[in-house]
Amino acid sequence: MPAPAVAEAGTLPNPVGPLSETVLAALGTPPSGRSWPVFPQEAADPYGLDLHLALHVCYELHYRGFHGVNPEWEWNPELLRFRGALEYTFLTALRTDVPGGNDVSEAVGPLLVEPDDGDGLSRFLRDKGEWWQMREYFAHRSIYHLKEADPHAWVLPRLTGKAKAALVAVEFDEFGGGRADRMHSKLFADLLDGAGLDSSYLGYLDAVPAPALAVVNMMSMFGLHRALRGALVGHFAAAEITTAPAAKRMVAALRRLAADPACVRFYAEHVEADAVHEQVLRHDVLDDLLQREPHLAADVVFGVQATELVESRLAEHLMTNWAQARTSLLRPLP
Ligand SMILES: [Fe+2]
Ligand SMILES: [Fe+2]
């Protein structure tokens, strides 16, 4: 019997500016107390590709790491200090760019009435999307879906009681309910294979633009900081509420395009699963968390609103490029 494969690590991307250059140059050397450049706080674009690629690489050290990179970098104090500055820039922009408030029902309510995924992206794909656009969409989403549910696992030790038990139940489903071949990350790898795309872990890291990376970086940031546990739970709830109806539209789109059954399967799985996950997140996780820690309400609202913000930015990026028959990726798919 062949030995099971070791978790596949990513390949380091190419730098796209001074921030990613700083991080990537460091990771090519052994961890040390080397001196780091001063972080250019004023010049850094909180939604720019350079910042998000640098941040994504820093976060990836906590997941699977990269080929040829010393794993000790994960806890290197200088790198963490640099990452902290990247996070501060991104987090400050997110907090500034959402309406805020602390009424969780008011924040979640609109998602239940007209659940959507940003600016009608799945509606567009269902009604008019072409196969090349669908493949690009898969490539954008591959950064997250190939590690689906991993960012949310960081929050588990920070929860207790019913909120914890219920969130674990949702994660259990995401991780295939005990079956490796049904893990959602595996179903997405099958989808990529079915679409004739590269299913290797982080295979499209060099190809996706900032709005796609920002979605994943936001989850990692919320998951890795205990102080942001309210935002992580708010984000998770918002994602689960909007996923089931969007997945239904994706199933319709993929059937219209006569896509490979593996492509349909990933979304079909989410139509039913996420209808349940939504209920669990809202009633068991959110209600219980807020009863225990009512002061987290504002952060839960923040997590919901920040999710809408980054998803809309991604949807807008895709629709703007597609409207002009241009690729939405940094390099077109072969
Ligand atoms: Fe899932
Ligand atoms: Fe789910």
Side-chain angles (χ1 to χ4, degrees):
M1 210 166 84
V6 177
E8 182 196 2
T11 303
L12 281 179
N14 292 308
V16 294
L19 302 174
S20 50
E21 172 68 44
T22 299
V23 171
L24 288 160
L27 296 186
T29 66
S32 67
R34 79 208 295 270
S35 61
W36 283 65
V38 176
F39 186 80
Q41 200 75 64
E42 307 294 291
D45 173 359
Y47 297 108
L49 180 62
D50 189 27
L51 182 141
H52 279 283
L53 189 63
L55 189 52
H56 196 278
V57 168
C58 291
Y59 284 146
E60 191 53 37
L61 298 170
H62 297 288
Y63 294 97
R64 299 193 194 178
F66 292 95
H67 289 296
V69 171
N70 188 320
E72 297 290 330
W73 271 113
E74 182 183 2
W75 296 107
N76 179 270
E78 299 306 319
L79 179 62
L80 289 176
R81 199 193 316 277
F82 195 79
R83 191 193 88 188
L86 297 168
E87 290 176 314
Y88 175 81
T89 307
F90 181 37
L91 185 60
T92 305
L94 288 177
R95 288 211 187 268
T96 308
D97 295 340
V98 298
N102 57 9
D103 189 332
V104 173
S105 314
E106 197 181 281
V108 169
L111 299 179
L112 297 168
V113 181
E114 187 53 34
D116 207 346
D117 52 345
D119 298 335
L121 184 58
S122 59
R123 284 193 173 80
F124 169 79
L125 288 170
R126 178 193 62 193
D127 300 334
K128 296 189 212 116
E130 294 176 26
W131 183 234
W132 69 273
Q133 293 165 327
M134 190 61 85
R135 291 176 89 237
E136 290 202 350
Y137 181 74
F138 294 160
H140 287 284
R141 291 296 189 191
S142 68
I143 307 299
Y144 169 61
H145 285 313
L146 290 175
K147 60 161 156 284
E148 185 161 332
D150 282 351
H152 310 98
W154 301 119
V155 86
L156 296 177
R158 289 92 191 255
L159 300 177
T160 181
K162 189 177 177 183
K164 183 187 193 120
L167 200 135
V168 168
V170 172
E171 286 283 86
F172 182 68
D173 279 357
E174 303 290 348
F175 292 127
R179 286 186 50 182
D181 61 327
R182 288 168 73 163
M183 292 201 290
H184 290 184
S185 54
K186 172 69 169 82
L187 296 184
F188 199 80
D190 295 344
L191 167 150
L192 291 170
D193 290 337
L197 291 164
D198 179 3
S199 60
S200 59
Y201 187 71
L202 294 185
Y204 290 104
L205 186 54
D206 262 326
V208 299
L213 292 179
V215 169
V216 192
N217 283 340
M218 188 196 71
M219 299 181 208
S220 297
M221 179 169 67
F222 289 171
L224 285 166
H225 290 262
R226 191 176 68 83
L228 293 170
R229 63 195 179 285
L232 188 282
V233 171
H235 151 72
F236 202 2
E240 294 291 343
I241 292 169
T242 48
T243 309
K248 207 170 173 179
R249 293 189 278 269
M250 291 299 287
V251 168
L254 291 163
R255 291 214 168 111
R256 179 174 62 75
L257 293 165
D260 186 278
C263 301
V264 178
R265 186 175 177 218
F266 175 82
Y267 291 100
E269 176 75 23
H270 282 84
V271 175
E272 277 185 38
D274 286 351
V276 178
H277 294 171
E278 175 217 316
Q279 297 290 323
V280 176
L281 254 307
R282 278 171 56 219
H283 299 302
D284 299 335
V285 181
L286 268 186
D287 289 357
D288 187 69
L289 177 73
L290 291 171
Q291 234 162 29
R292 287 167 200 279
E293 302 193 86
H295 61 281
L296 292 182
D299 262 358
V300 170
V301 170
F302 170 57
V304 172
Q305 294 175 346
T307 303
E308 289 178 84
L309 177 74
V310 295
E311 287 291 347
S312 317
R313 290 182 67 96
L314 174 59
E316 196 187 309
H317 172 88
L318 296 173
M319 303 286 267
T320 307
N321 282 286
W322 290 347
Q324 295 170 51
R326 268 199 323 238
T327 178
S328 59
L329 294 164
L330 301 180
R331 48 179 169 84
L333 293 170

